[in-house]
Amino acid sequence: MPTTRVPDQTGRALTALDHRIESVTGHSVDQLWEHRDRGLLDAPRARLVDVHRSLVQAETSVTFYRVLLNRLSSGEFLIDKALFARIDRTVGQLKDAVAARGECEREVLAALEPVKAAARTHGPAATQEMTAPDIAALLAIAQGAKLHEHLLTQRLSVVTASGARIAYGQLQRLDEAGLVERDTSHPVHAGQPVTLTDAGRAALSGSRRTSLPIAPAHRAGAWPPALAADARGTTAARRH
């Protein structure tokens, strides 16, 4: 028997590509729609959300005409020529709706390709080219962090245990690279915990191993090591 896609809690019709979109982007469809409305998405993801909304509308039309056809054939109406005409018309409308849905699905799949390509580009190889701010952000997140939504401005930002703030755009880059993950079971207004993934911990560990050695801090009033060495050398030369 064909499966019926039940609308989610927001009333949005579910589509056959929802799971694939969420798997590629790492975000739920509802989150993507919300971020699109707030202008938080880059161009490829914004395009993906736009065509997905068209797909949802097409899926809604298919459901409408399918339910109408079931009602017309349920025995509720008098069987006459007028009913046959309505059934024929509804079947034609259902065919058109299915064709429109198929076109929307192809557009969604096409829009998904650049997002998948970007995810591959920002995969493990990209972790080797982390910037100093990214490393600092990972260090701060490792101590504990949460993604918060400002109640008035509705802007998103990460607040770490040390009190530092990380821009949402930077969090998105780290998330796309697979370095961090969010616990979406918590609402953003209450704070979504942000943690390092195994790849994030490995990248952070690698950055520590390859970082330049830091010169030890000298005590206040003491000569810098290089000057002290020069002074000792000069004194020894005078003695000889």
Side-chain angles (χ1 to χ4, degrees):
M1 295 179 62
T3 58
T4 300
R5 299 187 181 94
V6 181
D8 64 1
Q9 295 179 353
T10 64
R12 174 182 56 81
L14 303 180
T15 75
L17 299 180
D18 287 0
H19 178 71
R20 188 178 303 185
I21 293 173
E22 293 176 346
S23 176
V24 171
T25 62
H27 299 282
S28 69
V29 169
D30 291 337
Q31 287 175 325
L32 290 172
W33 281 35
E34 180 182 354
H35 294 169
R36 177 68 175 102
D37 293 337
R38 297 182 181 179
L40 300 176
L41 300 180
D42 56 13
R45 284 173 173 75
R47 166 64 180 168
L48 176 61
V49 171
D50 290 343
V51 294
H52 179 259
R53 282 176 167 168
S54 298
L55 174 59
V56 168
Q57 293 177 353
E59 187 71 52
T60 302
S61 296
V62 170
T63 301
F64 173 80
Y65 291 117
R66 176 179 56 79
V67 172
L68 177 58
L69 184 60
N70 287 337
R71 183 184 177 191
L72 292 175
S73 59
S74 65
E76 177 182 352
F77 300 95
L78 177 66
I79 300 177
D80 54 11
K81 291 183 178 180
L83 178 61
F84 290 146
R86 290 189 62 186
I87 291 177
D88 289 341
R89 183 168 60 252
T90 303
V91 169
Q93 292 169 331
L94 180 58
K95 288 181 178 179
D96 293 341
V98 170
R101 183 184 63 182
E103 180 62 28
C104 290
E105 287 178 341
R106 287 187 287 273
E107 291 182 357
V108 169
L109 292 175
L112 199 58
E113 285 304 315
V115 178
K116 291 170 60 178
R120 289 191 295 266
T121 302
H122 294 85
T127 63
Q128 302 175 2
E129 302 177 357
M130 289 193 303
T131 63
D134 290 338
I135 296 174
L138 291 179
L139 285 170
I141 292 174
Q143 304 301 318
K146 288 185 177 182
L147 176 65
H148 286 274
E149 179 186 49
H150 196 282
L151 294 178
L152 297 179
T153 63
Q154 295 185 335
R155 296 187 63 178
L156 298 172
S157 63
V158 178
V159 180
T160 66
S162 62
R165 290 185 177 272
I166 300 173
Y168 181 70
Q170 186 176 16
L171 174 66
Q172 280 187 306
R173 292 194 301 271
L174 297 175
D175 191 6
E176 292 168 0
L179 303 178
V180 299
E181 59 184 0
R182 295 183 292 133
D183 185 359
T184 56
S185 63
H186 295 74
V188 290
H189 62 79
Q192 283 185 352
V194 180
T195 57
L196 299 183
T197 62
D198 291 340
R201 286 186 286 270
L204 188 57
S205 176
S207 68
R208 288 172 175 172
R209 289 194 299 267
T210 58
S211 59
L212 295 176
I214 301 175
H218 59 277
R219 298 186 304 274
W223 282 21
L227 295 180
D230 291 343
R232 287 195 298 269
T234 302
T235 302
R238 288 176 178 175
R239 289 177 179 175
H240 292 288

